[in-house]
Amino acid sequence: MSAAEPILSVRGLSRRFGAIAAVREVSFDLWPGEVMGVVGESGSGKTTLLHLVSGSLRPDAGTVLFRDRQGAMQDIQAMSEPARRMLARTDWGIVHQNPRDGLRMNVSAGANVGERLMAVGARHYGNIRGAAEDWLARVEMDLGRIDDLPRTFSGGMQQRLQIARTLVTHPRLVFMDEPTGGLDVSVQARLLDLIRNLVAVLGLSAIIVTHDLAVTRLLAHRLMVMQRGQVVETGLTDQVLDDPQHPYTQLLVSSVLAA
Amino acid sequence: MDTLPARPATDPGYNFGYLDEQTKRMIRRALLKAVAIPGYQVPFGSREMPLPYGWGTGGIQITASIIGPADTLKVIDQGADDTTNAVSIRRFFARVAGVATTERTAVATIIQTRHRIPERPLSAGQILVYQVPQPEPLRQLEPREAEARKMHALADYGLMHVKLYEDIARFGRIATSYNYPVMVNGRYLMAPSPIPAFDNPKMHRMAALQLFGAGREKRIYAVPPHTEVQSLDFDDHPFKVWRADRCCDLCGAPDSYLDEVVTDDKGGRMFVCSDTDHCAERRGAGHRGPLAGHALQEIAEGKS
């Protein structure tokens, strides 16, 4: 697989909810190792787009092709349910905005990290525990809390746990929906630093949906601006943020409060 | 203990076996499907029975559907033949089906059970009917029924190991001691009803047919004779049966499943076989435990 071939190829993706066109004719490619940010105001279709691309929602029209480990392009919609589930636990990872959606709140942190391993067939307790400890250390969590329930964790710790749980099976493509939403600024900064490091070290491809332009400036190589279900502008992050072309993007960039 | 099968007259006010013939046919169809797909939960139209949910409405409906005039019925509750539930279900079938009842495992053709498998190995031709409170092994882990069924359909059972992982992380070993999840025929994850994990190995390749009925949850499932039944475990934490490290105080059995019985308020206790028929049989054959004979006699006579 060369970097010249996209890992994800989206063409003409559309989805309506009744009279509302949530996503209209979205097309893009994502290359290996690339982090793409999707920005826009609330209700602009960012999260729906993420659901469509990750296969949890069926589009009305359009295709999503994903390059598997063998290098073949797979049509996500045409895949069988078991194959798609397998893909979602091995090659993909999803980090939800609310860690409660991504974590099992009634089992310990270690079990949360180990769940994906057990789901793909790991049956050696010592190895699963070792992997859980390794990943908790990598997301800078205290190993003494490996047997604690996630609900006893702070918001930032829950989010880090969710990231550990997602990355334990070494996915190649990670979807993040507002990964820093609801966290205070200092925790946000640490989390962003962590995500940036992990993405760089592991060579992940990622799609990050956010309304926070500062997050995209730190993490994303490329930016896609959405308004009312349509992509109004794409380009390199710095280029879009420093020289916005579309009136909506200009509004978005100018409305950021300078600290 | 009744040793000679007595045949009481059937109550003429009821159809044979209490249920009407159409209901029995419906349950038999569900049973055939269950036997054809070992471990798969077949939905069925569970009827109201003259006893409350949780007292064995599922088991009693299966027994009513398969019982014939020539059958001999044994009912056990926590291993015992003489508890209220066991006695009343036995009396129920004696009245509505006129079948012979027994407390002896060896002569019974149908054994309806709650929470135990008899110690004596069952033979071909016998049928073991389990009363099941919760047929879905994933219920505690995955509350959505639709998702749980999808997991069964796709044999997607990693989640069950999360539960076992939690056990080891908290207690250092798999602490699940009853209703221990099993894989049937290498395909379906199954709740063996709340039998102790001690009984799990007996299900593996059992010569008798095993039927499971959950009345409230309206599910029937089955394990045909000689089917693989494996308890889930980890490579480095293999499945282990647990029993009290004692012998039966009445019959001296070193290998049966024991109940702990508190005998006074000074910390006195004794361990006895939970399977009363097994214990009586051993005592009949001359086996004696530490508290059998004079010691018991003294307690009975108030000397100690």
Side-chain angles (χ1 to χ4, degrees):
Chain A
M1 188 168 53
S2 74
E5 292 173 322
I7 188 170
L8 190 75
S9 181
V10 174
R11 289 289 172 273
L13 213 55
S14 298
R15 168 80 195 206
R16 304 182 68 87
F17 295 114
I20 304 158
V23 171
R24 280 186 283 180
E25 291 287 320
V26 173
S27 302
F28 65 89
D29 287 320
L30 186 72
W31 275 268
E34 186 186 37
V35 178
M36 192 173 77
V38 181
V39 294
E41 62 194 356
S42 293
S44 60
K46 310 183 297 282
T47 301
T48 304
L49 177 67
L50 200 67
H51 287 314
L52 290 172
V53 174
S54 63
S56 58
L57 204 63
R58 284 194 84 84
D60 296 331
T63 54
V64 180
L65 298 177
F66 174 72
R67 190 174 300 280
D68 63 20
R69 282 180 203 234
Q70 283 72 44
M73 288 305 259
Q74 301 277 355
D75 185 344
I76 299 304
Q77 297 306 322
M79 285 174 93
S80 68
E81 171 97 25
R84 197 158 55 218
R85 279 187 172 223
M86 196 63 188
L87 194 65
R89 301 171 167 158
T90 52
D91 274 1
W92 289 0
I94 299 177
V95 177
H96 297 265
Q97 174 175 11
N98 186 343
R100 280 163 199 278
D101 297 337
L103 293 175
R104 274 185 200 283
M105 301 306 282
N106 53 357
V107 298
S108 68
N112 264 294
V113 179
E115 182 184 345
R116 272 168 76 107
L117 292 172
M118 290 182 253
V120 297
R123 292 292 180 265
H124 189 284
Y125 175 82
N127 294 351
I128 294 167
R129 182 115 178 140
E133 283 172 352
D134 179 37
W135 273 98
L136 289 184
R138 286 172 88 159
V139 296
E140 298 162 18
M141 279 180 66
D142 179 7
L143 285 187
R145 303 206 59 182
I146 187 167
D147 292 330
D148 291 351
L149 295 181
R151 67 162 174 266
T152 65
F153 291 180
S154 68
M157 282 172 78
Q158 286 181 356
Q159 200 56 282
R160 273 181 280 153
L161 179 60
Q162 200 191 175
I163 289 168
R165 167 189 161 91
T166 304
L167 296 185
V168 68
T169 50
H170 300 284
R172 291 156 59 226
L173 174 59
V174 179
F175 303 101
M176 296 191 193
D177 189 1
E178 307 270 8
T180 58
L183 301 176
D184 69 55
V185 184
S186 63
V187 177
Q188 249 187 42
R190 270 185 73 192
L191 192 67
L192 286 173
D193 198 39
L194 178 77
I195 294 176
R196 195 164 54 161
N197 272 330
L198 286 174
V199 165
V201 168
L202 301 171
L204 295 175
S205 309
I207 298 179
I208 296 178
V209 162
T210 181
H211 58 257
D212 190 340
L213 291 180
V215 169
T216 58
R217 197 186 273 280
L218 270 172
L219 291 179
H221 303 132
R222 211 147 54 94
L223 212 54
M224 205 160 82
V225 184
M226 288 186 76
Q227 186 194 21
R228 295 197 199 111
Q230 279 177 312
V231 175
V232 294
E233 186 164 356
T234 58
L236 298 175
T237 304
D238 290 343
Q239 178 196 329
V240 172
L241 293 183
D242 296 340
D243 183 18
Q245 301 294 311
H246 191 273
Y248 175 70
T249 317
Q250 290 169 356
L251 184 74
L252 211 62
V253 171
S254 64
S255 61
V256 171
L257 295 174
Chain B
M1 186 173 64
D2 50 339
T3 45
L4 277 178
R7 290 187 184 278
T10 316
D11 188 327
Y14 293 103
N15 187 36
F16 180 81
Y18 183 79
L19 294 173
D20 62 89
E21 294 303 312
Q22 287 305 317
T23 301
K24 288 200 261 184
R25 288 180 65 181
M26 174 270 292
I27 293 175
R28 286 174 199 147
R29 277 197 296 270
L31 284 170
L32 287 175
K33 185 171 180 182
V35 169
I37 318 172
Y40 172 72
Q41 299 168 47
V42 184
F44 79 112
S46 177
R47 299 291 191 256
E48 291 251 342
M49 295 303 283
L51 76 167
Y53 287 134
W55 288 29
T57 51
I60 211 169
Q61 287 180 79
I62 290 183
T63 304
S65 308
I66 59 171
I67 203 163
D71 275 314
T72 305
L73 178 70
K74 170 185 163 83
V75 182
I76 46 180
D77 175 6
Q78 307 266 13
D81 290 279
D82 50 5
T83 53
T84 316
N85 202 211
V87 170
S88 56
I89 292 177
R90 223 166 35 230
R91 194 189 291 149
F92 174 79
F93 279 109
R95 183 172 161 205
V96 300
V99 296
T101 58
T102 182
E103 295 187 358
R104 287 172 54 203
T105 305
V107 302
T109 54
I110 298 174
I111 302 172
Q112 183 175 331
T113 181
R114 169 173 182 262
H115 293 198
R116 272 314 305 279
I117 295 174
E119 302 289 353
R120 168 189 279 273
L122 300 181
S123 55
Q126 289 184 305
I127 300 176
L128 191 57
V129 179
Y130 295 78
Q131 303 171 192
V132 182
Q134 177 51 263
E136 179 53 73
L138 300 166
R139 176 64 72 245
Q140 292 299 318
L141 303 157
E142 179 50 73
R144 293 166 297 177
E145 174 71 18
E147 178 64 17
R149 288 218 210 169
K150 199 177 268 181
M151 289 162 78
H152 280 296
L154 303 175
D156 184 1
Y157 294 136
L159 193 52
M160 202 71 229
H161 273 87
V162 173
K163 160 88 167 60
L164 302 182
Y165 171 97
E166 279 291 276
D167 266 9
I168 302 174
R170 280 195 212 164
F171 306 110
R173 63 186 171 89
I174 300 177
T176 306
S177 58
Y178 67 96
N179 208 356
Y180 192 105
V182 292
M183 277 300 277
V184 179
N185 206 21
R187 175 59 181 86
Y188 280 100
L189 183 71
M190 188 183 92
S193 85
I195 60 171
F198 176 85
D199 282 343
N200 272 18
K202 294 181 192 163
M203 307 178 79
H204 180 57
R205 294 192 173 148
M206 188 193 272
L209 170 63
Q210 303 173 71
L211 304 175
F212 298 77
R216 179 177 40 211
E217 303 290 330
K218 301 178 173 54
R219 294 286 184 280
I220 283 173
Y221 50 104
V223 177
H226 308 291
T227 304
E228 294 259 335
V229 178
Q230 295 297 345
S231 305
L232 295 189
D233 58 6
F234 283 103
D235 296 344
D236 49 346
H237 285 264
F239 171 77
K240 261 194 289 215
V241 298
W242 184 93
R243 72 181 284 279
D245 191 18
R246 298 281 287 266
C247 66
C248 172
D249 281 331
L250 294 180
C251 75
D255 53 0
S256 64
Y257 191 72
L258 301 175
D259 283 341
E260 185 176 2
V261 182
V262 175
T263 52
D264 55 35
D265 58 359
K266 302 182 199 69
R269 64 197 57 220
M270 63 189 291
F271 288 83
V272 294
C273 291
S274 109
D275 185 340
T276 52
D277 173 58
H278 178 72
C279 197
E281 208 168 82
R282 280 178 55 84
R283 274 178 286 151
H287 295 283
R288 286 286 175 271
L291 291 181
H294 64 276
L296 265 191
Q297 201 65 36
E298 279 169 18
I299 292 172
E301 289 165 9
K303 285 181 189 166
S304 64

